[in-house]
Amino acid sequence: MATEEKKGGIVETIKTIVYALLIAGIFRTFLFQPFWIPSGSMKDTLLIGDFLFVNKMAYGYSYASCPSVIIPRFGIDIDAQDVCGWADGDNTRLFGSEPKRGDVVVFRHPTSGRDYIKRLIGLPGDKVQVRDSILYLNGEPVEVQPAGTFEEIQKPQGPQGLRPRCENGPVGEGGTCTKTRMLETLPNGVTHSILNIDDQSSDHTGVYEVPAGHFFFMGDNRDNSADSRISNMVGGVGMVPFENIVGRADRIMFSSAGRSMLFFWTWRSDRFFKKVE
């Protein structure tokens, strides 16, 4: 009798775990996907260590809505393409809704398949150019206004120990790293901050024409972002197909400035539940 009860308890435990995994899978596939900010390409809108949920309902569903499970430590690398690749190829979405200019969007990189997060700048048919660090849309410069400086400490950031690039030149360990901060207003009225580090080639581009069914993305940390200004064949993002969009970033839920979220003394409590703008 005791053996049967033990077996029954094990079966119930397994069933509970399976149900929990199914519910979590449905939640992550159709509703919200967790996302950690791994790099500084979206500073100061998003900082390394910010944790947010991506709203998958915002733009409808495609093969990219299926979650990827990547755990290098255990050799697990299950890509969305492996699970939902059958739905890839027609660049359409179920219950699709076109994203708006200025949205902060998570999408699958067209070549590597890894998830990226950037701001949507160019819509299908737009002509996009950067001249002397100023963004031009369809031949017209967007409005920019000075907004002081962004400051951070020169030290390793996040689990990867990335160090920030500074406009005020090489800064020693523990020094103050600064970048010029500007407020950029897009044609639809969306205003957001952008940062400047240096004068470089990405500040002076040719004209990009966004093809039908594709979108043009840029990082807010303009001089530290591999985005649509660079071809996806040479380390950038290039034009992103509609079907590669995962969802919209709406709100930061949690933020940690340390190497691990368990280091509670590095938590940024002022960023908890902060709206992404």
Side-chain angles (χ1 to χ4, degrees):
M1 191 72 173
T3 301
E4 291 181 359
E5 290 180 356
K6 185 176 180 180
K7 288 182 178 178
I10 294 174
V11 170
E12 288 302 314
T13 299
I14 294 173
K15 286 168 64 177
T16 299
I17 293 173
V18 170
Y19 291 151
L21 290 174
L22 285 173
I23 292 171
I26 291 171
F27 181 86
R28 186 172 177 182
T29 300
F30 296 105
L31 301 177
F32 299 95
Q33 175 177 315
F35 190 87
W36 280 98
I37 303 301
S39 74
S41 69
M42 282 295 293
K43 291 177 181 177
D44 62 338
T45 303
L46 298 172
L47 304 181
I48 294 176
D50 283 350
F51 174 78
L52 48 85
F53 281 104
V54 180
N55 181 355
K56 289 191 170 185
M57 298 176 285
Y59 311 128
Y61 305 94
S62 72
Y63 86 97
S65 301
C66 283
S68 298
V69 181
I70 303 171
I71 310 177
R73 180 181 299 180
F74 299 104
I76 298 175
D77 188 354
I78 302 174
D79 188 77
Q81 187 77 37
D82 300 328
V83 182
C84 297
W86 54 270
D88 183 15
D90 60 0
N91 202 24
T92 60
R93 306 181 72 85
L94 183 64
F95 309 122
S97 174
E98 188 170 285
K100 296 180 177 61
R101 195 192 310 274
D103 286 356
V104 176
V105 177
V106 171
F107 56 88
R108 284 174 55 84
H109 189 283
T111 303
S112 71
R114 296 296 186 246
D115 287 343
Y116 274 52
I117 186 166
K118 307 286 182 187
R119 189 176 299 275
L120 176 55
I121 297 297
L123 303 174
D126 279 346
K127 290 182 172 63
V128 183
Q129 185 179 23
V130 180
R131 302 184 206 164
D132 299 322
S133 302
I134 301 297
L135 173 65
Y136 282 71
L137 290 172
N138 300 312
E140 298 294 327
V142 301
E143 179 186 343
V144 291
Q145 295 180 338
T149 59
F150 171 71
E151 297 183 353
E152 55 188 337
I153 302 301
Q154 178 58 264
K155 64 179 182 179
Q157 298 179 351
Q160 300 179 62
L162 301 177
R163 290 183 176 275
R165 291 178 59 202
C166 312
E167 186 179 21
N168 56 328
V171 175
E173 183 77 14
T176 300
C177 175
T178 65
K179 302 173 181 65
T180 298
R181 185 174 184 266
M182 306 286 286
L183 290 181
E184 180 179 83
T185 301
L186 300 174
N188 61 344
V190 173
T191 297
H192 60 98
S193 68
I194 58 173
L195 302 180
N196 178 74
I197 300 174
D198 197 3
D199 183 41
Q200 55 192 49
S201 60
S202 57
D203 294 320
H204 315 276
T205 74
V207 177
Y208 305 93
E209 186 164 356
V210 186
H214 291 70
F215 298 88
F216 190 100
F217 291 93
M218 295 176 67
D220 290 349
N221 192 2
R222 290 286 164 83
D223 294 336
N224 196 50
S225 175
D227 49 40
S228 292
R229 291 170 290 178
I230 306 171
S231 167
N232 56 46
M233 303 303 293
V234 291
V237 168
M239 304 296 173
V240 178
F242 189 28
E243 65 181 354
N244 281 42
I245 289 177
V246 175
R248 185 181 66 218
D250 291 331
R251 192 172 296 275
I252 299 165
M253 305 304 295
F254 173 83
S255 185
S256 172
R259 300 294 295 269
S260 169
M261 65 178 293
L262 300 179
F263 297 169
F264 64 87
W265 57 91
T266 67
W267 292 356
R268 306 182 184 105
S269 58
D270 61 323
R271 297 185 67 79
F272 290 10
F273 309 112
K274 182 178 179 180
K275 185 178 179 181
V276 176
E277 296 179 319

